[in-house]
Amino acid sequence: MAGSGLFAEILDGEAYKYYGDGEWKKSSSGKLVPIINPTTRKVHYKVQACTQEEVNKVMETAKIAQKAWAKTPLWKRAELLHRAAAILKEHKAPIGESLVKEIAKPAKDAITEVVRSGDLVSYCAEEGVRILGEGKFLVSDSFPGNDRTKYCLTSKIPLGVVLAIPPFNYPVNLAVSKIAPALIAGNALVLKPPTQGAVSCLHMVHCFHLAGFPKGLISCVTGKGSEIGDFLTMHPGVNCISFTGGDTGIAISKKAGMIPLQMELGGKDACIVLEDADLDLVAANIIKGGFSYSGQRCTAVKVVLVMESVADALVAKVNARVAKLTVGPPEDNSDITPVVSESSANFIEGLVVDAKQKGATFCQEYKRDGNLIWPLLLDNVRPDMRIAWEEPFGPVLPVIRITTVEEGIHHCNASNFGLQGCVFTKDINKAILIGDAMETGTVQINSAPARGPDHFPFQGIKDSGIGSQGITNSINMMTKIKTTVINLPTPSYTMG
């Protein structure tokens, strides 16, 4: 069970501790932050409300620990990451339980997230050894006007302290996708988990603690964003920020200093369906892409743009599959589980009410019980409806009928988001042309949008983010180039 056995150390009575300087601690604030179970809508966990002074202490110890860690051999860093990955996968059950209780993730998906996270950490260790073990050698006479009097050696060195802020929907996986690259690259890591997902993150961090990482190298501070959020992101001790979440990231990017930023801020992923598409394949992917984890995914299908000539047939196929989705608590592995909070459910309902008032066709009856919203397909959605543009982050999916491909591309590109999109057609030439025209970080051909496998590049444009994720890209962005130039007294050439 969560907070017991191997994890008993992280729990003090009814409240989970925070992690700093290699120890589990209670906050001097004496305050706790409640975590509401989305299913019961009652307090299920409590975590420490850390103070700004505790943040300062964490940053101070991180700076010291990072200097020693940067001198640790790559193979040793990788060895510790492999150990943490093994511990994480071995103890997937209590971490999975936490995911079920604090973010209402279906039980089987919760376990999958933990296992996937362990695999990501191991892959990152291997990839880091490869790409950080290589440098670059340049000679001066390749540039006009120069003799071969200079040898240039380049290598990748750590940035310092990386601040990682994952979202509620994949708190463990999207935390380790930041932690592992930072550590293999020689950085220290400060984790600020989301409130919903904090307990899962604390369990995950304990796995790194048990693996034997040096004291102070990894920290996890919990608390309200309103009290320590800005203090963390604007802290002079932070050398890089990796954030996944909503439009809070835009505010962070404006306030952060002159440091590297890695931001993934959501999307309104469009699914363009052509006349020649395999409609059974499309319907299956709309269900998977639009309704898995109740649509609470940045890469969920958020709007279907289907050619009018096949719209009736596609809507019928999707409706048949929607009818088979199970709705209920995450413990039962239901397809549709409660959304993360009452405020989220209210926001989704607002989009639904707006669509109804403006004449959208409801393919199912809108039904809500607390935070649980039944899956809903909205047909004949028009651009004047909020649901056509806003990200619901819930199990409600709009269908817009189009008469030309250009109309679909225009709607996709008119969005302020640009994370992913997908195209369904049997004509690969059309797929490539449409994909190139879509202003998104990734285009999927004949499949729903998805993040992963975790070593694939993952990025957005416009309000969807800054920089690129994926294991290799994350390692590279968490390092900087160091150049050493050897100056020779006379030109030197290797004759062979």
Side-chain angles (χ1 to χ4, degrees), residues 9 18-25 58 61-62 65 205-206 208-210 212-220:
E9 185 181 351
Y18 79 96
Y19 186 66
D21 199 19
E23 298 176 359
W24 291 98
K25 304 178 178 183
V58 157
T61 56
V205 167
H206 194 54
F208 282 81
H209 169 76
L210 294 171
F213 281 89
K215 284 187 175 184
L217 187 68
I218 305 169
S219 305
C220 184

Side-chain angles (χ1 to χ4, degrees), residues 174-359:
L174 284 171
V176 300
S177 74
K178 307 172 190 304
I179 295 170
L183 294 178
I184 194 65
N187 298 291
L189 189 289
V190 175
L191 177 67
K192 169 58 179 76
T195 299
Q196 304 285 138
V199 172
S200 306
C201 280
L202 292 168
H203 280 77
M204 174 270 295
V205 167
H206 194 54
C207 295
F208 282 81
H209 169 76
L210 294 171
F213 281 89
K215 284 187 175 184
L217 187 68
I218 305 169
S219 305
C220 184
V221 290
T222 54
K224 293 183 178 179
S226 58
E227 295 176 3
I228 61 171
D230 282 353
F231 190 74
L232 273 166
T233 57
M234 298 172 69
H235 199 285
V238 172
N239 304 112
C240 172
I241 299 175
S242 179
F243 173 91
T244 304
D247 54 13
T248 301
I250 296 175
I252 291 173
S253 67
K254 291 177 179 177
K255 296 174 183 176
M258 199 168 68
I259 58 174
L261 300 177
Q262 186 183 53
M263 299 270 170
E264 192 270 280
L265 312 180
K268 185 68 176 177
D269 298 7
C271 173
I272 298 179
V273 184
L274 274 57
E275 296 99 330
D276 67 339
D278 179 338
L279 296 185
D280 289 314
L281 176 67
V282 178
N285 273 274
I286 286 174
I287 294 296
K288 178 181 74 173
F291 294 104
S292 62
Y293 188 40
S294 303
Q296 297 176 109
R297 296 164 45 249
C298 294
T299 55
V301 172
K302 306 282 175 52
V303 58
V304 178
L305 302 161
V306 57
M307 295 296 286
E308 179 70 59
S309 60
V310 294
D312 286 345
L314 177 62
V315 168
K317 289 178 181 292
V318 173
N319 280 331
R321 291 173 181 266
V322 168
K324 296 177 182 178
L325 293 173
T326 57
V327 181
E331 292 84 355
D332 294 346
N333 279 316
S334 303
D335 296 316
I336 305 296
T337 57
V339 296
V340 71
S341 66
E342 184 177 357
S343 61
S344 294
N346 291 341
F347 175 77
I348 296 164
E349 185 165 297
L351 297 179
V352 172
V353 169
D354 176 79
K356 188 174 186 66
Q357 291 173 345
K358 293 175 180 174

Side-chain angles (χ1 to χ4, degrees), residues 333-495:
N333 279 316
S334 303
D335 296 316
I336 305 296
T337 57
V339 296
V340 71
S341 66
E342 184 177 357
S343 61
S344 294
N346 291 341
F347 175 77
I348 296 164
E349 185 165 297
L351 297 179
V352 172
V353 169
D354 176 79
K356 188 174 186 66
Q357 291 173 345
K358 293 175 180 174
T361 301
F362 280 55
C363 296
Q364 295 79 27
E365 177 188 0
Y366 173 67
K367 186 177 179 183
R368 173 184 172 185
D369 181 7
N371 295 341
L372 186 62
I373 295 176
W374 271 248
L376 175 62
L377 189 71
L378 297 173
D379 194 7
N380 296 301
V381 167
R382 299 190 315 273
D384 65 326
M385 300 177 187
R386 289 175 56 200
I387 192 74
W389 305 105
E390 297 181 40
E391 185 180 23
F393 237 62
V396 178
L397 182 60
V399 176
I400 297 176
R401 297 175 177 230
I402 57 176
T403 55
T404 66
V405 170
E406 290 73 21
E407 188 182 345
I409 295 171
H410 174 76
H411 185 92
C412 170
N413 293 348
S415 172
N416 62 308
F417 291 112
L419 188 59
Q420 289 203 10
C422 58
V423 184
F424 285 87
T425 175
K426 294 174 183 173
D427 188 331
I428 189 62
N429 295 322
K430 287 183 180 179
I432 294 295
L433 291 171
I434 294 169
D436 285 348
M438 294 172 74
E439 296 173 359
T440 59
T442 301
V443 175
Q444 303 274 351
I445 295 174
N446 291 326
S447 184
R451 179 179 59 85
D454 287 311
H455 65 303
F456 280 18
F458 180 61
Q459 59 282 316
I461 61 174
K462 297 187 281 190
D463 286 355
S464 285
I466 303 170
S468 181
Q469 298 179 51
I471 290 170
T472 303
N473 288 344
S474 292
I475 293 172
N476 284 329
M477 78 82 55
M478 292 177 183
T479 62
K480 53 189 172 186
I481 300 296
K482 176 69 176 284
T483 299
T484 301
V485 179
I486 301 170
N487 293 274
L488 304 175
T490 59
S492 178
Y493 294 90
T494 302
M495 304 310 293

Side-chain angles (χ1 to χ4, degrees), residues 99-217:
L99 290 167
V100 169
K101 300 302 183 185
E102 60 182 341
I103 64 168
K105 180 159 285 190
K108 64 179 186 302
D109 295 338
I111 296 298
T112 298
E113 177 177 344
V114 181
V115 173
R116 173 186 179 182
S117 299
D119 290 339
L120 188 159
V121 173
S122 288
Y123 192 105
C124 187
E126 294 295 324
E127 184 73 354
V129 168
R130 283 192 290 270
I131 66 176
L132 296 171
E134 295 180 351
K136 199 170 185 179
F137 175 68
L138 300 170
V139 290
S140 54
D141 66 322
S142 61
F143 195 87
N146 285 270
D147 290 322
R148 187 170 296 192
T149 56
K150 295 176 184 288
Y151 289 167
C152 177
L153 308 175
T154 69
S155 59
K156 294 183 176 77
I157 62 171
L159 296 174
V161 177
V162 175
L163 173 62
I165 308 176
F168 80 84
N169 56 348
Y170 289 88
V172 175
N173 183 255
L174 284 171
V176 300
S177 74
K178 307 172 190 304
I179 295 170
L183 294 178
I184 194 65
N187 298 291
L189 189 289
V190 175
L191 177 67
K192 169 58 179 76
T195 299
Q196 304 285 138
V199 172
S200 306
C201 280
L202 292 168
H203 280 77
M204 174 270 295
V205 167
H206 194 54
C207 295
F208 282 81
H209 169 76
L210 294 171
F213 281 89
K215 284 187 175 184
L217 187 68

